[in-house]
Amino acid sequence: MRPAIDRLQGAACIRRGTPISFTFNGRRLTGFEGDTLASALLANGERVVARSFKLHRPRGIVAAGVEEPNAIVTVGEGAWAVPNLRATEVELHDGLVARSVNCWPGPNLDVGAVAGLFSRLLPAGFYYKTFKWPGWWLYEGVIRRAAGLGVVPAEPDPDRYEHRHARCDVLVVGAGPAGLAAAATVARSGAQVMLVEQAPMAGGSLVGSDEMIDGVPSRTWIADRRGELDVNPNCTILMRTTAFGYYDHNHLGLIERVTDRLTDASPRHIPRERLWQVRAGCVVLATGAIQRPIIFPENDRPGVMLADAVVSYARRYGVRCGQKAVVFTLDDSGYAGAAAMHAAGIAVAAIVDPRPGEPPVGPPGAEVLRGWEVRGVAGRRGVSAVKVVPVDGAGSVRRIVADLLAMAGGWSPSIHLFCQSGGHPRFESGMFIPGDGPQRQVSAGAARGLFPTQACVDDGVLAGRDALAMLGLAQRPEALVRLPTDPRTAAHDWWSRHAPHHAWVDFQNDVTAADVALAAREGYRSVEHLKRYTTLGMAVDQGKTSNVNGLSLLAAVTERTPGETGTTRFRPPFTPVTLGALAGRRRGTLFAPLRRLPAHEEHRELGALFEEMGGWARPVAYPRNGEDLMGAAAREARAVRCAAGLFDASSLGKIEIRGPDAARFLDRVYANTMGTLKAGRVRYGLMLNENGVIIDDGVCACLATDHYLVGTTSGNAKRICAWLEEWHQTEWPDLRVAMLDVTAMWGTLALSGPTSRSILQAVGTDLDLAADAFPHMAVRCGHIAGVSARIARVSFTGEVSFEISIPAGKTADLWRRLLDAGASMGLTPVGIEAWMMLRAEKGYIHLGTETDGTTTPDDIGWGGPVRKKQGDFIGRRSLARPANQSAEREQFVGIQTLDPRNVLPVGAHLVSKGRTGGASEGWVSTSYASPVLGSSIALGRLRRGRERLGEELTALTPSGPVPVRVTEPCVYDPSGERLNG
Amino acid sequence: MLLIPCPHCGARDETEFAFSVESGRVRPVGDAVDDAAWADYLFFRTNARGLQAELWVHRQGCRRWLRVTRDSLTHAVVAVEAV
């Protein structure tokens, strides 16, 4: 093992004065500030860093950027662990802990590697062909456990994530030569520009390069552009930020990694990651290009790397990936790479180039084998020699001793974002390059297949001007000379004619050339089918190094061009995004925040049990002295029947309707007649949708002939108000009416029970509360305890009731004053459980309990009033459809157990008397032990229910069949004497 | 995410809006309409490939219903007008 500090001088990214200690697979290693985990591992001589997904073959680092297919690691421990990160993207920090995934006990000795012995038995589609009898379900569990890479931590994520929204004139993705040039051009014009770079440093391919750009050394050129943009107030630069998704109308998702490079002691107020949503006027895609590997036997051996990565590790991190290299190249960029390796002190033994013709000049000491190919490598856990043969077969295999094999298989422009935006790629000069894009965007530099660096810089300037022109912020450049792709740099159309088993196409998912060829023979000619059949490009790297090679091979096997086979569809995200970042602050109690009643604190102080209902936190009951929920509810219900109860009904929806045509409008939206309602009166009403199904019920109060108050069920006000608006705006715009959801502006307290009238008198009111002056189903405006109020005599309990609505801010005060005034008259706070019990005794329906998505007015006994109504209303025509006229429909009934002590479970099905099974004829929707009646009560829906009153049936329950009798729904005070009293 | 130019509020993100229904449906009024015609109104949509007029509501803005002409292939919003 080479010592960790053996680094080349002048590396662009690392600070040699700041050594960093980290742990990989339990061993303590040392790197430098600025290292990636990958560069530090290579510097420490770690060749085998992972095992492949299916066959558990030893794998080393291949790339230096986001495209890395092999070095997949879990970083961090416990709740902080993040699985499946690419070691090439992980910035080293002090105390970093990383582990390989998909191997046990470690990458150098992995038990799962026995799978590799059977690799010939695991061809493409192996699972589909093998595990099909008697069915996949039999094998799925075992196979799923064996599959998969990293493990997600079981603990909740302790980190914080933020969302931000932004807009700009031009968004530039990539701060390489083209991106920096484009951003500078836009910023100088005065337009707003955002520059996004996934790496920690600007410069892209220029970082560490000795090229001259615009006549100055590249290091100076980068610093100049960066400095210029840093001080320009029109420019926002986001480093360590990946544009992962390009959506409709130039809407892009960015993920900014804020604290990952810091130690665990980083300030808690800083989010770990920020998710940005940016709307850009125009997008410049300067996303660069990714070098392609070459498909040849044993190309997955550790020590076989991309030539570009070998150069990057030397220039940026001062790491030599080997002592002696062979470069296998399909284009001229391999010669430049060989020269850079030579300059970094890596001896280049040979350049292998299968192309015919006169080769360019290689570095000193390098033998140029033009017309030769690599046929394999020697060495088990790393390259020890490279086997080469002439392409024409006129010669025997030669062994060249080397510990590094650098591949230069041509370039794939990063067209991911372009394609996500809806753009169609075009195959040209051996590459897929951007074709027509549907959105306001422009690709620049290597992202559109342009390679000399100076040409990319010039292209970036043009792209910036082009973007400004698209926005009308500048003249379109007159001679927009976009250089054509240089054919000399294009990859040669070369394939190993053997398509052997051990020539890998997708390193991460273990897909070989043989698998692709087999899939093609079996008829998977579409790239999308090939992808799913072989899993090519489906790993966490999403095929960044493998897709183009795979589909080019498919094209060769099926005698088409890659342009004809096309690419698979590119989908977001470009690189994986954490679920935490996508969720942001919307987790836990903030995921769907509960609405609180205006008197919430009063309920809490009374010891209320809360439950979520319709988006509100509502008191279920107020247990006292160790009561359980049902005990408290029974006491509260008794109090309402014997004295009085106070119920917070503030969550009931309230919609004000005003205008000269308000009555006509209400007649059209309610299924029963509402327009005849007199001022000061209240009526119960049903709203239907166009299918004739009940969508809401509640009372409607007429305050004046042009002023109504529509009551909706809790949590439904917003939806119903939008529904009414829709009908008014789109169907009946001629009606002079306006509506507003005022639910949050009013608090509503329902006072119910025989002593409620006395309690109101005690607390003070200017209203005449006598039954003939203020009868049931009337509404009055007046004062209660000095507070201006709307009071309705409506009842959900069957007792004399007053629903008092006051400004929301005064609800808590009135709640306390009513309880004080009523204390001597038995007034008790009542929760939703007792409230529901009381309404069940009265046989009142509860929307969503007695009704579902099929219930019509007739089903709940409201057929008469609806049939009698003159004129059109929403849903009317649907009620006449045969299905809604059927005699076999389920109707709302009461259900009485023959043994009154027996309380039915909700959901119990009803069948004919004496049966213990068979087709259900109905079901129980509500069931309670009534504390006042001293017996069980139940409501439900029963086929032809109304004509079966008195019939005995059997309810099927988990504890056995229970004999029941069909009754009227209302079993308490059916004549309504108490209600009207 | 679509960017919808609301004629009342200006260009806003799609998340502020809600799609309602295809525009241009005519609600048959009266009992004369037969079951088939009523079912056609209730359940059947053109779902055009290409340009299509739709009703959207600016739910988190002006609460007005809008007629949006949208290309169902490219998602381009071609025109937006108040209903």
Side-chain angles (χ1 to χ4, degrees):
Chain A
M1 187 183 295
R2 271 167 287 139
I5 49 168
D6 173 26
R7 300 281 183 108
L8 299 163
Q9 293 294 329
C13 294
I14 57 164
R15 277 160 291 281
R16 299 172 67 101
T18 321
I20 277 176
S21 167
F22 69 102
T23 308
F24 181 66
N25 289 332
R27 278 173 303 123
R28 288 183 73 83
L29 302 170
T30 308
F32 293 110
E33 191 181 313
D35 259 327
T36 64
L37 178 59
S39 66
L41 289 174
L42 285 166
N44 281 277
E46 297 282 331
R47 296 206 102 174
V48 182
V49 298
R51 289 279 171 162
S52 69
F53 181 65
K54 196 163 81 176
L55 304 175
H56 291 253
R57 289 171 66 90
R59 291 283 165 82
I61 294 162
V62 166
V66 293
E67 68 272 28
E68 172 60 36
N70 284 342
I72 306 299
V73 294
T74 296
V75 173
E77 291 176 295
W80 276 274
V82 183
N84 298 348
L85 293 174
R86 293 148 302 282
T88 50
E89 283 194 289
V90 174
E91 290 180 63
L92 213 58
H93 64 73
D94 209 32
L96 179 135
V97 177
R99 288 185 310 279
S100 302
V101 299
N102 205 35
C103 52
W104 185 86
N108 282 302
L109 176 68
D110 174 25
V111 171
V114 292
L117 303 176
F118 306 110
S119 65
R120 276 172 192 274
L121 302 178
L122 294 168
F126 170 72
Y127 295 109
Y128 307 127
K129 291 165 181 163
T130 311
F131 299 112
K132 61 184 188 186
W133 189 90
W136 164 248
W137 50 268
L138 189 65
Y139 308 99
E140 183 175 2
V142 177
I143 288 169
R144 290 227 185 276
R145 267 192 296 284
L149 291 172
V151 178
V152 175
E155 301 91 337
D157 190 336
D159 285 314
R160 221 156 55 77
Y161 302 83
E162 295 284 356
H163 285 184
R164 287 199 63 176
H165 293 255
R167 51 186 291 183
C168 59
D169 294 320
V170 180
L171 175 70
V172 179
V173 183
L180 281 173
T185 304
V186 173
R188 279 174 210 154
S189 79
Q192 296 287 329
V193 62
M194 278 180 90
L195 176 61
V196 175
E197 169 56 51
Q198 63 193 3
M201 285 179 93
S205 64
L206 277 179
V207 175
S209 158
D210 51 8
E211 279 183 79
M212 299 289 280
I213 299 297
D214 292 345
V216 297
S218 54
R219 185 182 290 250
T220 312
W221 187 86
I222 297 170
D224 287 352
R225 293 297 164 283
R226 180 70 209 259
E228 174 189 343
L229 292 169
D230 275 339
V231 298
N232 191 323
N234 300 323
C235 182
T236 306
I237 302 179
L238 294 175
M239 301 303 292
R240 299 183 170 90
T241 303
T242 304
F244 65 82
Y246 193 146
Y247 306 95
D248 286 318
H249 299 186
N250 273 353
H251 183 255
L252 284 91
L254 319 177
I255 183 79
E256 181 186 8
R257 292 168 291 275
V258 186
T259 62
D260 279 350
R261 68 185 188 282
L262 307 173
T263 58
D264 290 344
S266 60
R268 301 293 298 147
H269 66 274
I270 301 179
R272 179 171 164 245
E273 294 176 339
R274 278 192 200 100
L275 184 93
W276 290 74
Q277 294 186 56
V278 179
R279 184 78 71 173
C282 184
V283 177
V284 175
L285 295 170
T287 45
I290 291 171
Q291 197 169 36
R292 291 204 287 264
I294 305 176
I295 303 171
F296 59 89
E298 288 135 12
N299 62 344
D300 70 329
R301 190 79 75 238
V304 180
M305 299 178 69
L306 293 172
D308 181 52
V310 173
V311 174
S312 281
Y313 283 117
R315 285 177 171 174
R316 298 182 178 195
Y317 310 103
V319 175
R320 276 189 289 246
C321 296
Q323 304 294 328
K324 197 170 184 189
V326 169
V327 176
F328 187 14
T329 187
L330 304 182
D331 68 5
D332 285 1
S333 74
Y335 292 81
M341 289 174 215
H342 178 78
I346 301 172
V348 179
I351 299 176
V352 183
D353 183 346
R355 295 179 293 178
E358 199 55 37
V361 181
E367 183 184 0
V368 177
L369 296 168
R370 190 78 160 188
W372 288 60
E373 63 176 284
V374 173
R375 185 58 66 75
V377 295
R380 233 164 61 80
R381 295 230 172 92
V383 175
S384 60
V386 179
K387 297 175 240 178
V388 297
V389 289
V391 173
D392 58 14
S396 54
V397 174
R398 259 182 68 187
R399 283 170 67 98
I400 303 170
V401 174
D403 60 351
L404 177 64
L405 175 52
M407 304 176 280
W411 296 84
S412 296
S414 290
I415 55 172
H416 307 72
L417 292 177
F418 168 79
C419 292
Q420 285 178 24
S421 77
H424 297 287
R426 200 169 69 219
F427 193 75
E428 196 180 297
S429 305
M431 294 176 287
F432 282 98
I433 60 171
D436 296 328
Q439 306 201 31
R440 273 207 298 235
Q441 67 196 178
V442 52
S443 295
R448 69 175 193 95
L450 210 56
F451 289 102
T453 319
Q454 183 64 54
C456 289
V457 169
D458 297 343
D459 198 45
V461 173
L462 286 177
R465 284 160 61 184
D466 210 1
L468 291 170
M470 281 187 220
L471 297 173
L473 298 172
Q475 287 283 324
R476 199 178 164 82
E478 248 184 45
L480 193 68
V481 184
R482 306 290 298 274
L483 287 169
T485 309
D486 181 355
R488 284 169 306 171
T489 60
H492 180 61
D493 186 20
W494 177 86
W495 298 107
S496 172
R497 283 143 297 156
H498 309 289
H501 282 280
H502 285 135
W504 263 260
V505 181
D506 185 326
F507 295 119
Q508 195 174 122
N509 260 359
D510 269 340
V511 180
T512 65
D515 292 329
V516 175
L518 176 64
R521 282 203 304 280
E522 292 181 357
Y524 294 92
R525 291 169 59 90
S526 150
V527 281
E528 299 287 0
H529 292 157
L530 173 78
K531 170 178 170 174
R532 282 151 188 85
Y533 191 57
T534 62
T535 72
L536 173 79
M538 288 174 72
V540 296
D541 65 349
Q542 288 286 291
K544 288 187 178 60
T545 54
S546 62
N547 267 351
V548 177
N549 274 347
L551 65 91
S552 298
L553 184 56
L554 175 71
V557 173
T558 57
E559 293 175 343
R560 290 176 291 175
T561 66
E564 286 165 342
T565 56
T567 65
T568 51
R569 191 175 175 84
F570 292 87
R571 291 189 181 84
F574 174 65
T575 48
V577 178
T578 58
L579 292 175
L582 294 174
R585 302 286 294 265
R586 292 168 69 176
R587 48 193 279 196
T589 53
L590 292 180
F591 176 66
L594 283 183
R595 298 177 76 175
R596 288 185 169 188
L597 298 167
H600 183 86
E601 283 306 306
E602 273 59 35
H603 303 313
R604 204 178 51 77
E605 280 167 24
L606 286 168
L609 295 172
F610 288 94
E611 221 172 80
E612 187 265 324
M613 297 185 96
W616 294 79
R618 300 181 69 185
V620 187
Y622 303 80
R624 290 177 185 167
N625 310 322
E627 282 174 330
D628 64 2
L629 167 64
M630 291 319 287
R635 171 180 51 74
E636 291 166 14
R638 259 194 307 271
V640 173
R641 294 273 181 250
C642 306
L646 188 60
F647 176 76
D648 192 337
S650 303
S651 61
L652 287 175
K654 295 169 273 284
I655 300 169
E656 293 224 19
I657 312 272
R658 296 192 88 144
D661 293 325
R664 284 176 67 198
F665 178 69
L666 290 174
D667 259 344
R668 295 185 192 177
V669 297
Y670 276 108
N672 48 324
T673 306
M674 207 53 85
T676 55
L677 199 59
K678 302 268 187 304
R681 298 295 297 179
V682 177
R683 192 174 288 166
Y684 176 77
L686 296 171
M687 287 190 197
L688 315 183
N689 63 18
E690 273 286 52
N691 300 318
V693 170
I694 300 169
I695 56 166
D696 202 56
D697 74 332
V699 292
C700 178
C702 180
L703 301 173
T705 50
D706 61 350
H707 189 187
Y708 293 81
L709 196 59
V710 167
T712 76
T713 46
S714 295
N716 232 0
K718 206 172 148 188
R719 191 166 72 92
I720 293 297
C721 194
W723 166 255
L724 299 180
E725 284 277 15
E726 177 168 9
W727 281 91
H728 177 225
Q729 290 184 33
T730 65
E731 205 62 45
W732 307 310
D734 53 311
L735 293 184
R736 291 160 301 163
V737 64
M739 60 219 70
L740 188 65
D741 174 10
V742 296
T743 306
M745 301 174 200
W746 296 85
T748 302
L749 301 179
L751 183 61
S752 182
T755 65
S756 54
R757 196 173 271 125
S758 314
I759 295 166
L760 273 191
Q761 294 289 6
V763 83
T765 178
D766 52 2
L767 291 169
D768 182 352
L769 299 178
D772 50 351
F774 191 176
H776 181 56
M777 299 308 264
V779 63
R780 300 284 181 268
C781 294
H783 291 81
I784 302 287
V787 180
S788 173
R790 287 172 177 169
I791 305 107
R793 262 203 70 182
V794 292
S795 176
F796 205 45
T797 63
E799 304 294 335
V800 169
S801 298
F802 298 89
E803 269 188 21
I804 308 158
S805 292
I806 61 272
K810 302 193 171 173
T811 315
D813 186 52
L814 184 63
W815 172 272
R816 279 192 302 268
R817 293 175 70 168
L818 282 168
L819 282 185
D820 286 347
S824 61
M825 286 171 265
L827 182 59
T828 303
V830 176
I832 193 88
E833 192 68 30
W835 210 245
M836 285 294 169
M837 211 182 266
L838 295 163
R839 69 95 195 167
E841 290 171 350
K842 283 297 289 180
Y844 295 149
I845 67 149
H846 179 244
L847 194 87
T849 303
E850 272 69 41
T851 68
D852 57 25
T854 68
T855 312
T856 65
D858 188 60
D859 296 343
I860 58 159
W862 275 74
V866 172
R867 259 191 302 277
K868 265 186 280 174
K869 181 173 173 180
Q870 300 294 312
D872 186 32
F873 59 87
I874 301 168
R876 178 191 174 107
R877 177 60 184 81
S878 286
L879 294 177
R881 299 178 71 223
N884 287 337
Q885 295 285 321
S886 165
E888 291 298 311
R889 291 185 67 85
E890 290 175 349
Q891 294 170 334
F892 178 51
V893 292
I895 299 150
Q896 181 67 60
T897 51
L898 298 190
D899 177 354
R901 291 165 305 179
N902 208 337
V903 182
L904 293 170
V906 169
H909 279 273
L910 304 171
V911 295
S912 302
K913 183 183 177 183
R915 296 188 65 174
T916 55
S920 170
E921 298 196 43
W923 45 280
V924 176
S925 55
T926 293
S927 174
Y928 288 104
S930 164
V932 174
L933 301 172
S935 74
S936 73
I937 55 166
L939 301 171
R941 298 235 309 262
L942 178 66
R943 203 166 290 255
R944 291 180 286 106
R946 281 197 296 275
E947 61 185 55
R948 298 168 76 174
L949 292 179
E951 184 179 330
E952 285 187 20
L953 297 171
T954 302
L956 302 178
T957 76
S959 50
V962 175
V964 299
R965 181 181 292 117
V966 183
T967 66
E968 291 280 0
C970 178
V971 293
Y972 179 81
D973 183 31
S975 62
E977 281 168 38
R978 299 179 68 91
L979 181 67
N980 291 303
Chain B
M1 191 192 305
L2 306 183
L3 188 67
I4 300 175
C6 172
H8 309 290
C9 309
R12 301 297 179 89
D13 279 348
E14 179 187 346
T15 45
E16 291 187 11
F17 298 81
F19 171 82
S20 170
V21 73
E22 280 178 19
S23 175
R25 285 193 317 160
V26 177
R27 180 172 186 258
V29 181
D31 299 329
V33 57
D34 63 28
D35 282 347
W38 184 250
D40 190 55
Y41 159 73
L42 278 185
F43 304 122
F44 291 91
R45 305 288 181 267
T46 316
N47 198 17
R49 185 176 194 268
L51 285 185
Q52 154 161 301
E54 301 168 339
L55 289 178
W56 289 65
V57 57
H58 195 186
R59 189 166 53 175
Q60 289 172 43
C62 56
R63 296 193 294 142
R64 303 300 296 177
W65 259 258
L66 309 168
R67 190 170 290 108
V68 175
T69 308
R70 190 178 67 90
D71 191 317
S72 62
L73 276 178
T74 64
H75 298 183
V77 172
V78 177
V80 181
E81 55 178 352
V83 166

